[in-house]
Structures are given as C-alpha cells and as structure tokens.
Amino acid sequence: MALLSVFTPVLAVVLCLVIGFMLVKSRETETSSTSPSKTKGGTKGEKRPWVDQDLQDDTDTTAKEGDDDDGDWGDSTEEESLAHVPYSPLRYPEETMLQRSEEFYTLMNQRRSVRFISPEPVPREIINNVIRTAGTAPSGAHTEPWTFVVVSDPDMKHQIRLIVEEEEEMNYRQRMGEKWVQDLARLRTNWIKEYLDVAPYLILIFKQTYGILPNGKKKTHYYNEISVSISCGILLAALQNVGLVTVTSTPLNCGPKLRLLLKRPANEKLLMLLPVGYPASDATVPDLKRKHLDDIMLHM
Amino acid sequence: MALLSVFTPVLAVVLCLVIGFMLVKSRETETSSTSPSKTKGGTKGEKRPWVDQDLQDDTDTTAKEGDDDDGDWGDSTEEESLAHVPYSPLRYPEETMLQRSEEFYTLMNQRRSVRFISPEPVPREIINNVIRTAGTAPSGAHTEPWTFVVVSDPDMKHQIRLIVEEEEEMNYRQRMGEKWVQDLARLRTNWIKEYLDVAPYLILIFKQTYGILPNGKKKTHYYNEISVSISCGILLAALQNVGLVTVTSTPLNCGPKLRLLLKRPANEKLLMLLPVGYPASDATVPDLKRKHLDDIMLHM
C-alpha cells in the first residue's frame, strides 16, 4: 500500500506524458492535413506590421525559398559571370511607335478563346515558329523552364481527350450534386471536348519545377509558373499574329495522367493545354466585352 | 503530511498538463513557420496512385479550391448566359502566315531584359496602348484580374526605389553571411536599382486575388496569377513591338509595402514591377543564348 502511494505520482506522470504525446501527435496530423489551405499565400516567421487581413504575397513565399535569387530575373550567379555586350535595338520615330502600338492592340484585341476549331491542316513550320517565339520569354535566372509538347497524332490526341473528359465529367457531376436542378443536357456540352480530337494540334505546356545540376542535385526553378505563363502569353500573341485560334485551358486534375501519357519527367508539371488550328467556319464566341482602360490602369 | 501525499499525484497531473500544453503550443508554432516549404505544391486529401515522387500539380490545388470552375477559361456561369456571336477573323494565305510567324519571331527574339534605361520621355499614349494590349489577355472565367499602376511622378518613383532597395539590400546582406568572401563592391551593384528613378515609367502589375460580388461577398479569382502573368507576356510583346525596353522583376517582399504606398486595396497583390523606357545609349546585356527549338519542343 505504501509502495503504491509512492508510485501513484510516478504513474500519474507517465499517464500524463502518454496523453501529452498523443495530443502533440494528433495536433501534428491535423495541422499537416489542413495546412495547404491555412498556409495558402505563405506565412513568414517574421512579423510584418504592414501585412493586414492575412494577405501575404505569394512572391514572399517564393522569396523565402529563393535565397539565391534576386528580384530581377537574370541576375543569377551564372549570368553574372557572362560578358556584357552592347545592346542597341532598332528605334522607331514617335509617330511610328504610336502607329505600331495601335496596330498591335487592334490585332490582339481581335483574339478570342475559340472552342470551334477546324480540322484543316496547318503547316508544321508555322507551329515551330510560334513555339520559337514563346521561347523568347524572360524567365527567372534565365532557366527557360518550359517544355512544349506538340501533339498531332490522332490516337494520342484521342487518348488526351479521354483523360480530360473523364476528369471534367467528374468535376461536373460533383457540381451536379449541388445544382441538380440545372439542365443536364446543357452541362453535358461542357465536359465534351470535341476540339481535342478535331484540332490539328494540341500544345501541352509543361513547367519545369526544378532542373538537375551537373552534380546530380536538384536546382529549384524560381518563378517557374510565372515564367511559363509569360511564355504562354507570348505564344498566344504569336498564334493570333498568324490567324490561328486556341482556347486557354488548364485541365483540372489531369496533369499527372497526361504527364505519364506523354512520358514527361517528374520535374515537369502540366500548366496549360492549347488546342490550335483555324477557327471552324461556323465558329461562335460569347458576346463578352473587355474592361475599359480606366478600369485596369491607374496613372500617378 | 498526509494531505500533501494525497495532493502529490494531483500536483503531478497539473504539472504534466502544463508541460503537455506548452509542447502542443511550441509544436504548433514550429509547424506553421515551416509549412510554407513543406506544403509547397499542395497536398490533396484524395489519394491518386499515378502521382509519384510527392509531385503534385499546382493546378490540382487550384482545382480543389475551384469547384465552381472549369478547365476551359471562360466557361463561367456568367458567360454561359451570354449570347454567342459568329467569329470569323482574318485568314491569311499560308505563305503570309509563314512570313508573319518568322517576322514576329525575329522581333521577339531581339527582346532582352535591359537594366540601363534612358531618362528620355516616352509619349503617354504609347504606354496606354501597350496596357490596352495587355488587357486583351484571356483570364479564368473572364475575370480580367489585373491592375496596371503606371508611375511617372519622380517622387513616387523614388519612394518605390527606396522600398525596393531596402528589401534587396537585406536579401543581399543575408547572402553575404554565407558568401562573405565575395566582393562586396560587385554585389552592391545588385541591390542598387538606379533605373527605378531613371526610367520614365514604372509599371506595377497587381493581381486581384478575389473580387467583390454585388451582395458584398468575396469571389475567388481562379488562376489569377497565371492570367496576370499571361497578360504580362502580352505586355512584354507590346513593349518590344514599339522598341521600348524593360526588365522583368518580382521585387522580393516588397509587395505589401508597395501596395500600401500606391493605395491599392487588400485584394490586390503585386506580381511584377517593370521599369519602362528607351534603352540607354550605352546599354549592355549579358551575352546569353536561348535554348534551341529541339530543347524546348517535342512533337508526337
């Protein structure tokens, strides 16, 4: 009995330690499973008083990871060692600049996302030039972290379609659960992507999230998603410039399946899928308007 | 004494609970400060057997959030209700397409990131047209989630410079801690951003992470960063088209400070800062090369 009363505090301590350990463990699991949403946009250890409303820049998160990086793209150590050469591009008179800026705006303003693509063939060399043009985009530390997979093989296009439609149908059916009153027939047209078979080319754009150094180590590609998206912007401009159409799409959840289908390595992730061709003769687009300059620009 | 021996287990329990609570707390802090890197790329509850090497697409994360979204940008409910109109853009003969694709590639391939910008004034209307052009980019569900702040006021430019340089200097000094043998003078040129005073215009590009619905609720802008980056790609093309230069920069950690300086609302986050003008007469660029087409494109 005396022995027991001596051991009682010891037992209590052991019991509490076990409970404490379980608490820590459960909290850990909870945090790791909820953290993707909690930490979206990044959290920093350092307190910054000017950050309000839990809004932090994604660039901050990137910055924290990128201690070998600079805000200016291209100031990489590699590039610092490169010789500098004079740069004196063509300079236009002011009237020419004004005219060119108006013409380019008019051309780009005619661009629309088009889902009705003609099966007519398009010369390969034009596609090559369009991709070459996309490859002139700037990128973080000049990593050029993009891979453009151009698919014209009908079987491969069809396999891509099957993967995309399967995922899209799942997305829509999940939506149907909430909005079951909506017209199934109308929704159905949304997960059927006929253009994936019909368009003469599908361009699948992968971002390379990291590279492999000569010593075999991984090298993070900072700003890879922004870089590849900029490159896509230039690609869209190049397509519009030759009269070809596309629809910007980011196939939901299909990335890993499509990456395996196209045998792309693990460091590449699908960012965008663009079906490319001439518009179908009966192509239509929604009658939408763009914001006015005053609604997107401020001058100070 | 008997009273004490009765209370000993109770005291031990209390002590353990306190220790356990402290452990949980400390673990919590630790997890939240390390999670940005841990959860980079996102984690999904659902297991997907084809996802290997802990690589998951960022698009998947976005998709999870975007249950009212579609892979095709523009299939928003809002847009579904819009009337469709015929779309028949200009069609060029094949030879013209080929020629245009070559000319546009040549033009874009001359673009370089330039840090030596001339103070010469540039007509405002040209900048307006360039921003108009950027505003023609596609965006998720046609949200057009971009704000272009054009700064030409010398005081404002200087305040921006001070904010950017302060942060850049901190970044470099942290690097210095590790690479103290490196030449301070050489590094110093990296955090001095003279062009922020000199360039006639600074264009600060903000992404609108969410919008406000008529009922006052927040509306997430899906793919806002990708959309705004695409828009920046078109902006870079438009600048190159008129013979103006810039350097793509994503100022580290400065977003919140610059947002407050420019009085932008909390839903906007700085994505990019572009100093814009003519190149200085003695401008130089690093003698770097771009990847060959075969290194960025695959055809199947």
Side-chain angles (χ1 to χ4, degrees), chain A residues 104-134:
Chain A
F104 193 61
Y105 167 61
T106 305
L107 176 69
M108 288 302 128
N109 199 30
Q110 284 160 5
R111 191 202 57 76
R112 294 296 309 270
S113 292
V114 177
R115 288 172 187 77
F116 308 96
I117 296 176
S118 162
E120 293 164 273
V122 173
R124 261 297 298 285
E125 193 52 25
I126 292 168
I127 300 298
N128 288 356
N129 283 339
V130 161
I131 306 260
R132 275 191 188 98
T133 311

mmCIF file of all heavy atoms in Angstrom, chain A residues 104-134:
data_model
loop_
_atom_site.group_PDB
_atom_site.id
_atom_site.type_symbol
_atom_site.label_atom_id
_atom_site.label_comp_id
_atom_site.label_asym_id
_atom_site.label_seq_id
_atom_site.Cartn_x
_atom_site.Cartn_y
_atom_site.Cartn_z
ATOM 1 N N PHE A 104 -0.857 46.839 -83.127
ATOM 2 C CA PHE A 104 -0.693 45.616 -82.329
ATOM 3 C C PHE A 104 -1.882 45.446 -81.374
ATOM 4 O O PHE A 104 -2.380 44.332 -81.184
ATOM 5 C CB PHE A 104 0.630 45.659 -81.559
ATOM 6 C CG PHE A 104 1.032 44.327 -80.972
ATOM 7 C CD1 PHE A 104 1.260 43.227 -81.793
ATOM 8 C CD2 PHE A 104 1.204 44.169 -79.603
ATOM 9 C CE1 PHE A 104 1.635 41.995 -81.257
ATOM 10 C CE2 PHE A 104 1.574 42.945 -79.059
ATOM 11 C CZ PHE A 104 1.794 41.857 -79.879
ATOM 12 N N TYR A 105 -2.355 46.572 -80.825
ATOM 13 C CA TYR A 105 -3.538 46.488 -79.965
ATOM 14 C C TYR A 105 -4.742 45.982 -80.752
ATOM 15 O O TYR A 105 -5.476 45.093 -80.294
ATOM 16 C CB TYR A 105 -3.849 47.854 -79.333
ATOM 17 C CG TYR A 105 -5.220 47.900 -78.701
ATOM 18 C CD1 TYR A 105 -5.542 47.046 -77.653
ATOM 19 C CD2 TYR A 105 -6.201 48.763 -79.182
ATOM 20 C CE1 TYR A 105 -6.805 47.065 -77.084
ATOM 21 C CE2 TYR A 105 -7.468 48.785 -78.612
ATOM 22 C CZ TYR A 105 -7.769 47.930 -77.577
ATOM 23 O OH TYR A 105 -9.013 47.937 -77.020
ATOM 24 N N THR A 106 -4.951 46.537 -81.938
ATOM 25 C CA THR A 106 -6.083 46.113 -82.769
ATOM 26 C C THR A 106 -6.004 44.619 -83.072
ATOM 27 O O THR A 106 -7.000 43.891 -82.973
ATOM 28 C CB THR A 106 -6.104 46.924 -84.086
ATOM 29 O OG1 THR A 106 -6.121 48.309 -83.748
ATOM 30 C CG2 THR A 106 -7.314 46.589 -84.935
ATOM 31 N N LEU A 107 -4.804 44.166 -83.424
ATOM 32 C CA LEU A 107 -4.604 42.744 -83.728
ATOM 33 C C LEU A 107 -4.921 41.880 -82.506
ATOM 34 O O LEU A 107 -5.687 40.911 -82.589
ATOM 35 C CB LEU A 107 -3.152 42.518 -84.174
ATOM 36 C CG LEU A 107 -2.736 41.066 -84.432
ATOM 37 C CD1 LEU A 107 -3.442 40.517 -85.668
ATOM 38 C CD2 LEU A 107 -1.220 40.965 -84.599
ATOM 39 N N MET A 108 -4.358 42.241 -81.374
ATOM 40 C CA MET A 108 -4.539 41.426 -80.163
ATOM 41 C C MET A 108 -5.973 41.503 -79.638
ATOM 42 O O MET A 108 -6.484 40.542 -79.076
ATOM 43 C CB MET A 108 -3.559 41.871 -79.059
ATOM 44 C CG MET A 108 -2.121 41.483 -79.327
ATOM 45 S SD MET A 108 -1.903 39.697 -79.538
ATOM 46 C CE MET A 108 -1.032 39.669 -81.084
ATOM 47 N N ASN A 109 -6.603 42.639 -79.848
ATOM 48 C CA ASN A 109 -7.980 42.805 -79.364
ATOM 49 C C ASN A 109 -8.961 41.945 -80.150
ATOM 50 O O ASN A 109 -10.091 41.720 -79.711
ATOM 51 C CB ASN A 109 -8.380 44.288 -79.432
ATOM 52 C CG ASN A 109 -9.574 44.587 -78.545
ATOM 53 O OD1 ASN A 109 -9.767 43.937 -77.509
ATOM 54 N ND2 ASN A 109 -10.391 45.549 -78.952
ATOM 55 N N GLN A 110 -8.529 41.471 -81.316
ATOM 56 C CA GLN A 110 -9.388 40.561 -82.095
ATOM 57 C C GLN A 110 -9.282 39.122 -81.600
ATOM 58 O O GLN A 110 -10.040 38.260 -82.021
ATOM 59 C CB GLN A 110 -9.010 40.638 -83.583
ATOM 60 C CG GLN A 110 -9.534 41.907 -84.251
ATOM 61 C CD GLN A 110 -8.794 42.242 -85.525
ATOM 62 O OE1 GLN A 110 -7.942 41.479 -85.981
ATOM 63 N NE2 GLN A 110 -9.102 43.387 -86.112
ATOM 64 N N ARG A 111 -8.315 38.852 -80.735
ATOM 65 C CA ARG A 111 -8.156 37.497 -80.223
ATOM 66 C C ARG A 111 -9.325 37.118 -79.332
ATOM 67 O O ARG A 111 -9.782 37.921 -78.527
ATOM 68 C CB ARG A 111 -6.852 37.379 -79.410
ATOM 69 C CG ARG A 111 -6.458 35.927 -79.066
ATOM 70 C CD ARG A 111 -5.535 35.879 -77.871
ATOM 71 N NE ARG A 111 -6.159 36.532 -76.725
ATOM 72 C CZ ARG A 111 -7.125 35.982 -75.994
ATOM 73 N NH1 ARG A 111 -7.549 34.758 -76.251
ATOM 74 N NH2 ARG A 111 -7.663 36.660 -74.994
ATOM 75 N N ARG A 112 -9.832 35.928 -79.509
ATOM 76 C CA ARG A 112 -10.875 35.383 -78.650
ATOM 77 C C ARG A 112 -10.556 33.918 -78.364
ATOM 78 O O ARG A 112 -9.909 33.252 -79.173
ATOM 79 C CB ARG A 112 -12.254 35.490 -79.330
ATOM 80 C CG ARG A 112 -12.751 36.940 -79.546
ATOM 81 C CD ARG A 112 -12.966 37.665 -78.227
ATOM 82 N NE ARG A 112 -13.773 36.893 -77.315
ATOM 83 C CZ ARG A 112 -15.105 36.974 -77.258
ATOM 84 N NH1 ARG A 112 -15.762 37.822 -78.034
ATOM 85 N NH2 ARG A 112 -15.777 36.226 -76.415
ATOM 86 N N SER A 113 -11.031 33.421 -77.246
ATOM 87 C CA SER A 113 -10.920 31.989 -76.967
ATOM 88 C C SER A 113 -11.947 31.280 -77.832
ATOM 89 O O SER A 113 -13.140 31.586 -77.747
ATOM 90 C CB SER A 113 -11.182 31.706 -75.490
ATOM 91 O OG SER A 113 -10.139 32.243 -74.709
ATOM 92 N N VAL A 114 -11.490 30.369 -78.665
ATOM 93 C CA VAL A 114 -12.387 29.717 -79.626
ATOM 94 C C VAL A 114 -12.411 28.212 -79.376
ATOM 95 O O VAL A 114 -11.363 27.562 -79.338
ATOM 96 C CB VAL A 114 -11.950 30.016 -81.080
ATOM 97 C CG1 VAL A 114 -12.851 29.283 -82.070
ATOM 98 C CG2 VAL A 114 -11.981 31.516 -81.347
ATOM 99 N N ARG A 115 -13.616 27.668 -79.178
ATOM 100 C CA ARG A 115 -13.773 26.234 -78.925
ATOM 101 C C ARG A 115 -14.148 25.462 -80.194
ATOM 102 O O ARG A 115 -14.223 24.240 -80.168
ATOM 103 C CB ARG A 115 -14.850 26.002 -77.861
ATOM 104 C CG ARG A 115 -14.405 26.410 -76.487
ATOM 105 C CD ARG A 115 -15.523 26.360 -75.475
ATOM 106 N NE ARG A 115 -15.044 26.930 -74.224
ATOM 107 C CZ ARG A 115 -14.914 28.236 -74.011
ATOM 108 N NH1 ARG A 115 -15.245 29.103 -74.948
ATOM 109 N NH2 ARG A 115 -14.437 28.672 -72.865
ATOM 110 N N PHE A 116 -14.417 26.193 -81.267
ATOM 111 C CA PHE A 116 -14.832 25.532 -82.510
ATOM 112 C C PHE A 116 -13.693 25.642 -83.500
ATOM 113 O O PHE A 116 -13.512 26.669 -84.154
ATOM 114 C CB PHE A 116 -16.114 26.166 -83.031
ATOM 115 C CG PHE A 116 -17.196 26.220 -81.986
ATOM 116 C CD1 PHE A 116 -17.410 27.359 -81.227
ATOM 117 C CD2 PHE A 116 -17.973 25.089 -81.729
ATOM 118 C CE1 PHE A 116 -18.388 27.400 -80.244
ATOM 119 C CE2 PHE A 116 -18.958 25.120 -80.743
ATOM 120 C CZ PHE A 116 -19.166 26.275 -79.997
ATOM 121 N N ILE A 117 -12.919 24.573 -83.573
ATOM 122 C CA ILE A 117 -11.678 24.604 -84.342
ATOM 123 C C ILE A 117 -11.827 23.713 -85.570
ATOM 124 O O ILE A 117 -12.397 22.625 -85.509
ATOM 125 C CB ILE A 117 -10.493 24.181 -83.452
ATOM 126 C CG1 ILE A 117 -10.335 25.223 -82.322
ATOM 127 C CG2 ILE A 117 -9.201 24.050 -84.254
ATOM 128 C CD1 ILE A 117 -9.273 24.910 -81.311
ATOM 129 N N SER A 118 -11.339 24.202 -86.683
ATOM 130 C CA SER A 118 -11.423 23.477 -87.949
ATOM 131 C C SER A 118 -10.378 22.359 -87.990
ATOM 132 O O SER A 118 -9.274 22.526 -87.490
ATOM 133 C CB SER A 118 -11.182 24.463 -89.105
ATOM 134 O OG SER A 118 -10.842 23.765 -90.274
ATOM 135 N N PRO A 119 -10.737 21.213 -88.599
ATOM 136 C CA PRO A 119 -9.756 20.126 -88.701
ATOM 137 C C PRO A 119 -8.700 20.361 -89.788
ATOM 138 O O PRO A 119 -7.768 19.557 -89.924
ATOM 139 C CB PRO A 119 -10.622 18.908 -89.035
ATOM 140 C CG PRO A 119 -11.836 19.461 -89.690
ATOM 141 C CD PRO A 119 -12.053 20.845 -89.128
ATOM 142 N N GLU A 120 -8.838 21.434 -90.572
ATOM 143 C CA GLU A 120 -7.875 21.688 -91.655
ATOM 144 C C GLU A 120 -6.439 21.663 -91.148
ATOM 145 O O GLU A 120 -6.152 22.202 -90.087
ATOM 146 C CB GLU A 120 -8.100 23.094 -92.247
ATOM 147 C CG GLU A 120 -9.389 23.285 -92.987
ATOM 148 C CD GLU A 120 -9.641 24.776 -93.168
ATOM 149 O OE1 GLU A 120 -10.238 25.391 -92.260
ATOM 150 O OE2 GLU A 120 -9.207 25.313 -94.205
ATOM 151 N N PRO A 121 -5.538 21.082 -91.945
ATOM 152 C CA PRO A 121 -4.137 21.030 -91.502
ATOM 153 C C PRO A 121 -3.488 22.416 -91.504
ATOM 154 O O PRO A 121 -3.874 23.295 -92.263
ATOM 155 C CB PRO A 121 -3.466 20.116 -92.527
ATOM 156 C CG PRO A 121 -4.343 20.173 -93.731
ATOM 157 C CD PRO A 121 -5.735 20.431 -93.245
ATOM 158 N N VAL A 122 -2.513 22.577 -90.635
ATOM 159 C CA VAL A 122 -1.734 23.813 -90.522
ATOM 160 C C VAL A 122 -0.267 23.419 -90.704
ATOM 161 O O VAL A 122 0.178 22.448 -90.091
ATOM 162 C CB VAL A 122 -1.934 24.454 -89.125
ATOM 163 C CG1 VAL A 122 -0.993 25.638 -88.922
ATOM 164 C CG2 VAL A 122 -3.387 24.873 -88.919
ATOM 165 N N PRO A 123 0.487 24.131 -91.553
ATOM 166 C CA PRO A 123 1.893 23.750 -91.766
ATOM 167 C C PRO A 123 2.688 23.716 -90.459
ATOM 168 O O PRO A 123 2.588 24.633 -89.645
ATOM 169 C CB PRO A 123 2.433 24.848 -92.692
ATOM 170 C CG PRO A 123 1.222 25.408 -93.367
ATOM 171 C CD PRO A 123 0.110 25.291 -92.380
ATOM 172 N N ARG A 124 3.467 22.646 -90.305
ATOM 173 C CA ARG A 124 4.268 22.458 -89.093
ATOM 174 C C ARG A 124 5.214 23.628 -88.827
ATOM 175 O O ARG A 124 5.444 24.030 -87.681
ATOM 176 C CB ARG A 124 5.116 21.174 -89.207
ATOM 177 C CG ARG A 124 4.562 19.958 -88.506
ATOM 178 C CD ARG A 124 4.453 20.097 -87.000
ATOM 179 N NE ARG A 124 5.724 20.302 -86.329
ATOM 180 C CZ ARG A 124 6.618 19.359 -86.133
ATOM 181 N NH1 ARG A 124 6.388 18.123 -86.546
ATOM 182 N NH2 ARG A 124 7.766 19.610 -85.513
ATOM 183 N N GLU A 125 5.797 24.183 -89.905
ATOM 184 C CA GLU A 125 6.806 25.222 -89.734
ATOM 185 C C GLU A 125 6.220 26.452 -89.029
ATOM 186 O O GLU A 125 6.932 27.149 -88.295
ATOM 187 C CB GLU A 125 7.428 25.596 -91.094
ATOM 188 C CG GLU A 125 8.687 26.443 -91.010
ATOM 189 C CD GLU A 125 9.791 25.882 -90.092
ATOM 190 O OE1 GLU A 125 9.824 24.660 -89.881
ATOM 191 O OE2 GLU A 125 10.593 26.688 -89.586
ATOM 192 N N ILE A 126 4.933 26.689 -89.256
ATOM 193 C CA ILE A 126 4.291 27.822 -88.585
ATOM 194 C C ILE A 126 4.205 27.561 -87.077
ATOM 195 O O ILE A 126 4.497 28.441 -86.262
ATOM 196 C CB ILE A 126 2.895 28.095 -89.198
ATOM 197 C CG1 ILE A 126 3.074 28.617 -90.626
ATOM 198 C CG2 ILE A 126 2.094 29.076 -88.354
ATOM 199 C CD1 ILE A 126 1.816 28.668 -91.449
ATOM 200 N N ILE A 127 3.838 26.332 -86.730
ATOM 201 C CA ILE A 127 3.788 25.956 -85.307
ATOM 202 C C ILE A 127 5.190 26.065 -84.690
ATOM 203 O O ILE A 127 5.364 26.594 -83.584
ATOM 204 C CB ILE A 127 3.217 24.524 -85.143
ATOM 205 C CG1 ILE A 127 1.793 24.449 -85.723
ATOM 206 C CG2 ILE A 127 3.229 24.093 -83.678
ATOM 207 C CD1 ILE A 127 0.771 25.342 -85.061
ATOM 208 N N ASN A 128 6.185 25.582 -85.433
ATOM 209 C CA ASN A 128 7.563 25.688 -84.934
ATOM 210 C C ASN A 128 7.935 27.141 -84.630
ATOM 211 O O ASN A 128 8.527 27.439 -83.591
ATOM 212 C CB ASN A 128 8.555 25.136 -85.971
ATOM 213 C CG ASN A 128 8.484 23.617 -86.088
ATOM 214 O OD1 ASN A 128 7.744 22.977 -85.333
ATOM 215 N ND2 ASN A 128 9.228 23.054 -87.018
ATOM 216 N N ASN A 129 7.599 28.036 -85.550
ATOM 217 C CA ASN A 129 7.939 29.446 -85.339
ATOM 218 C C ASN A 129 7.204 30.049 -84.143
ATOM 219 O O ASN A 129 7.757 30.876 -83.416
ATOM 220 C CB ASN A 129 7.617 30.271 -86.595
ATOM 221 C CG ASN A 129 8.673 30.075 -87.681
ATOM 222 O OD1 ASN A 129 9.791 29.658 -87.378
ATOM 223 N ND2 ASN A 129 8.319 30.360 -88.925
ATOM 224 N N VAL A 130 5.974 29.619 -83.965
ATOM 225 C CA VAL A 130 5.178 30.109 -82.838
ATOM 226 C C VAL A 130 5.823 29.667 -81.510
ATOM 227 O O VAL A 130 5.914 30.444 -80.558
ATOM 228 C CB VAL A 130 3.723 29.601 -82.983
ATOM 229 C CG1 VAL A 130 2.973 29.673 -81.667
ATOM 230 C CG2 VAL A 130 2.997 30.379 -84.069
ATOM 231 N N ILE A 131 6.285 28.423 -81.476
ATOM 232 C CA ILE A 131 6.936 27.902 -80.260
ATOM 233 C C ILE A 131 8.304 28.574 -80.064
ATOM 234 O O ILE A 131 8.682 28.916 -78.935
ATOM 235 C CB ILE A 131 7.100 26.367 -80.344
ATOM 236 C CG1 ILE A 131 5.762 25.703 -80.647
ATOM 237 C CG2 ILE A 131 7.777 25.820 -79.076
ATOM 238 C CD1 ILE A 131 5.027 25.103 -79.533
ATOM 239 N N ARG A 132 9.028 28.756 -81.163
ATOM 240 C CA ARG A 132 10.299 29.501 -81.074
ATOM 241 C C ARG A 132 10.052 30.860 -80.418
ATOM 242 O O ARG A 132 10.824 31.301 -79.571
ATOM 243 C CB ARG A 132 10.867 29.760 -82.481
ATOM 244 C CG ARG A 132 11.687 28.639 -83.060
ATOM 245 C CD ARG A 132 12.433 29.091 -84.330
ATOM 246 N NE ARG A 132 13.064 27.928 -84.968
ATOM 247 C CZ ARG A 132 12.539 27.269 -85.996
ATOM 248 N NH1 ARG A 132 11.414 27.681 -86.550
ATOM 249 N NH2 ARG A 132 13.160 26.206 -86.486
ATOM 250 N N THR A 133 8.974 31.519 -80.843
ATOM 251 C CA THR A 133 8.646 32.841 -80.321
ATOM 252 C C THR A 133 8.349 32.770 -78.822
ATOM 253 O O THR A 133 8.831 33.602 -78.042
ATOM 254 C CB THR A 133 7.436 33.422 -81.077
ATOM 255 O OG1 THR A 133 7.685 33.286 -82.486
ATOM 256 C CG2 THR A 133 7.236 34.890 -80.762
ATOM 257 N N ALA A 134 7.579 31.755 -78.419
ATOM 258 C CA ALA A 134 7.266 31.583 -76.992
ATOM 259 C C ALA A 134 8.552 31.406 -76.190
ATOM 260 O O ALA A 134 8.652 31.864 -75.042
ATOM 261 C CB ALA A 134 6.347 30.382 -76.795
#
